[in-house]
Every structure is written in structure tokens, then in C-alpha cells.
């Protein structure tokens, strides 16, 4: 059970995550944050979700109380910062967990260990004109789960599966808030450094990747990250292009 009082006691941020809205069960922490008046810098966390949302309209399995499901509301107005924020959130997650487990990022924002997915990130926004009205960053992080449903168990992992140890969800969440606040406090500076930092975080730099886009799978070599957070990929003819959307599959080898 996630204990908000314990989380409050160990949280070391100035503002990020100080207001914690905690549920035993909710449909989706992202949906709650998008549809309700939730102050900027708040975090919404739930023990389980009945309708957890994943990227590209997929479902996020959220029945297990052993994992973290949370959403952060940030005051971001510029739509150009959305893709970079996906990457920055992934960096913050990897940083906050690095003392527990060695993690890499799979573009744009899956956190992987040993070739399997440990966390996913879903940004949701309401946009008015050219401005973002509300930005919600949702994170599902497999902490202490050791079993996953059919269909995802081949590609899912957790902190516990990687290390053999149980972790305090309150400590893990407090550490994530601390790392994200570090990035937030110099967001423009970190967005500038983001492409260079990719070299240390990417799981597949200069490796073969299968890109799934509009139902088509294409193999490329991953060649780095652009200043706007797009992925440079090289096709079999040596032509490099920028990937703005799409998914890198978990089918790495064939
Ligand atoms: C992905 O598909 O990789 C993104 C998954 C994001 C899941 C999290 S769980 C907390 C938050 N609430 C949701 O409904 N989705 C996100």
C-alpha cells in the first residue's frame, strides 16, 4: 500500500510532488489529472487503475498494487517542449533508479533493463490555440511485481525481477520527484544538452532497431537524437532521416 504520509516525510523537493493526491483505485491517474483542477507540480498516485492508458491507445495493465502508477502536472505552454519532455522524463527516471538497477532508454521514453520494459511514460495535454493549457506526464513503473499477464510477460520486467529485492514505493517516487525537479529547474539548459546525453542513456545507439509505424515494420540503425527529440535513423542505403513518431519494437534481433 502506498503511504502518502511516509512519502511526504522523505520527499526532498522544493515544490515538485509536494501536493500528492493519492487513491486506492482510480480509472487512470492521467485521466484524473487531465479532467480535474489539479494544481501545477502536483502528483496523482494510485494503488491500482481500472482503465490505465498506454501510448498509441493501448491499455496499461494496472491491477497490481506492487507497482507505481502516477501522473505529474507541469506548467508548460510551448508545444515544442513536449517531445523533449518525454525524453527528459525518461532521463529523470533512469537517474532516480540508477543506484538500484542499471537502466537504459528506448526511444522515445520506455525504460528498459535487460532488453525488457520496466516503465512507460504517457504525456497528455489539453491545447488551446498555440499554447499547451495543461500538461500531464503519466508514468507506470514496475516496482515489486514478479508476474505479468499473458501478452506482456515476455517483454516486461520490474525492479524486483532485476535485482531480487523489494523496494519502498514511497522512496522510489520521492527520488523520481527529486530528479525531475533537477531537470525542471534548468529545463532549457537540459533540453539543449538532451541530444548529447542520449549517448549515455540510449539502449540502441548505433544498433539495429525495428521501427513500427502505421502498421509497417522497418529496420534501421539508430544514429542519435535531434535537438527536438526526434530519432535519427539510418536505412539500409545509408540514408539518415528523422523519426518524429513511431515505436521501436521489442523484436530486436531478427
Ligand atoms: C506506455 O504505453 O508505455 C505508457 C504507459 C503509461 C502508464 C501510466 S500509469 C499512470 C498514468 N495513468 C495512465 O492511465 N497512464 C499512465
Amino acid at each position: 500500500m502506498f503511504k502518502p504520509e511516509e512519502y511526504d516525510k522523505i520527499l526532498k523537493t522544493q515544490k515538485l510532488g509536494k501536493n500528492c493526491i493519492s487513491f486506492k483505485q482510480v480509472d487512470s491517474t492521467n485521466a484524473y489529472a487531465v479532467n480535474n483542477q489539479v494544481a501545477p507540480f502536483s502528483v496523482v498516485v494510485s494503488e491500482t487503475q481500472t482503465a490505465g492508458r498506454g501510448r498509441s491507445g493501448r491499455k496499461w495493465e494496472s491491477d497490481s498494487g506492487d507497482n507505481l502508477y502516477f501522473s505529474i502536472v507541469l506548467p508548460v505552454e510551448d508545444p515544442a517542449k513536449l517531445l523533449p519532455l518525454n525524453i527528459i522524463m525518461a532521463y529523470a527516471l533512469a537517474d532516480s533508479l540508477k543506484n538500484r538497477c542499471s537502466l537504459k532508454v528506448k526511444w522515445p521514453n520506455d525504460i528498459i533493463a535487460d532488453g525488457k520494459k520496466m516503465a512507460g511514460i504517457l504525456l497528455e495535454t489539453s491545447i488551446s490555440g498555440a499554447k499547451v493549457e495543461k500538461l500531464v506526464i503519466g508514468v507506470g513503473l514496475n516496482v515489486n511485481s514478479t508476474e505479468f499477464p499473458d501478452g506482456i510477460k515476455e517483454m516486461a520486467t520490474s525492479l524486483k525481477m532485476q535485482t531480487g529485492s523489494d523496494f519502498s514505493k514511497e522512496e522510489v517516487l520521492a527520488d523520481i520527484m527529486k530528479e525531475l525537479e533537477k531537470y525542471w529547474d534548468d529545463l532549457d539548459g537540459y533540453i539543449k544538452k538532451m541530444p548529447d546525453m542520449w549517448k549515455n542513456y540510449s539502449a540502441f545507439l548505433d544498433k539495429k532497431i525495428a521501427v513500427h509505424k502505421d502498421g509497417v515494420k522497418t529496420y534501421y540503425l539508430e544514429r542519435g537524437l535531434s535537438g527536438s527529440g526526434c530519432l535519427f535513423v539510418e536505412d539500409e542505403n545509408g540514408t539518415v532521416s528523422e523519426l518524429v513518431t513511431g515505436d521501436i519494437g521489442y523484436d530486436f534481433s531478427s
Side-chain angles (χ1 to χ4, degrees), residues 20-38:
C20 176
I21 303 168
S22 168
F23 293 98
K24 255 185 104 171
Q25 187 170 75
V26 72
D27 53 352
S28 146
T29 56
N30 266 29
Y32 182 89
V34 169
N35 298 326
N36 293 277
Q37 293 271 355
V38 176

Side-chain angles (χ1 to χ4, degrees), residues 28-30 49 52-55 60 70-71 117 120-121 139-140:
S28 146
T29 56
N30 266 29
Q49 300 181 115
R53 303 171 176 175
R55 290 182 63 226
W60 187 258
F70 63 93
S71 302
K117 180 160 173 168
I121 299 167
V139 178

